[in-house]
Amino acid sequence: QVQPVESGGGSVQAGGSLRLSCATEGLPYYSYTLGWFRQAPGKEREGVATIDSDGSTSYADSVKGRFTISRDHVWNTLYSYLQMDSLKPEDAAMYYCAAADLPFGGIRLPPQADFGYWGQGTQVTVSS
């Protein structure tokens, strides 16, 4: 069973940085779009950033210029990374990584429903 696994969450002060990682093993081919989503208490889950296999990226307006998504692969494992800089208290949430069997071209954040594989999440806490 394909199960993305996130790591790297934690607590940081406002203005600090964190780097989230996600490993997804067992996908049949390389060309999956990888994404990061987040959900804060009492709020709906929202898209943060996605990256196609050709490197096209899309970001939520709230994180543009502060977050950077990247990807890599080793054998049958796809890796995605979310470098988060200049963190704000409003960035605090459970962060989930996901994979989609579609390219999106980096024009805008794709629908969450298009992502078929989801991780369990990693918690990010930002104190003011």
Side-chain angles (χ1 to χ4, degrees):
Q1 182 176 355
V2 175
Q3 176 71 68
V5 179
E6 304 96 337
S7 61
S11 296
V12 65
Q13 288 191 327
S17 298
L18 281 174
R19 186 177 190 241
L20 305 183
S21 300
C22 177
T24 306
E25 183 179 2
L27 292 174
Y29 38 84
Y30 169 76
S31 58
Y32 275 72
T33 294
L34 305 178
W36 285 93
F37 301 80
R38 68 186 181 186
Q39 186 169 22
K43 295 187 177 181
E44 294 186 352
R45 189 169 61 189
E46 63 178 358
V48 176
T50 65
I51 183 167
D52 286 10
S53 59
D54 67 357
S56 300
T57 58
S58 60
Y59 293 93
D61 289 341
S62 60
V63 307
K64 283 180 181 177
R66 300 187 298 119
F67 290 12
T68 304
I69 189 172
S70 59
R71 63 183 287 158
D72 197 356
H73 73 281
V74 179
W75 293 105
N76 70 335
T77 301
L78 298 184
Y79 296 91
S80 64
Y81 306 97
L82 187 67
Q83 178 66 41
M84 304 186 295
D85 297 319
S86 302
L87 281 161
K88 304 176 181 180
E90 52 263 43
D91 294 319
M94 184 71 79
Y95 281 71
Y96 300 90
C97 72
D101 187 16
L102 290 169
F104 297 101
I107 299 174
R108 62 183 184 277
L109 283 174
Q112 297 184 37
D114 287 339
F115 288 77
Y117 301 99
W118 290 85
Q120 296 296 311
T122 185
Q123 184 69 45
V124 171
T125 303
V126 184
S127 57
S128 57

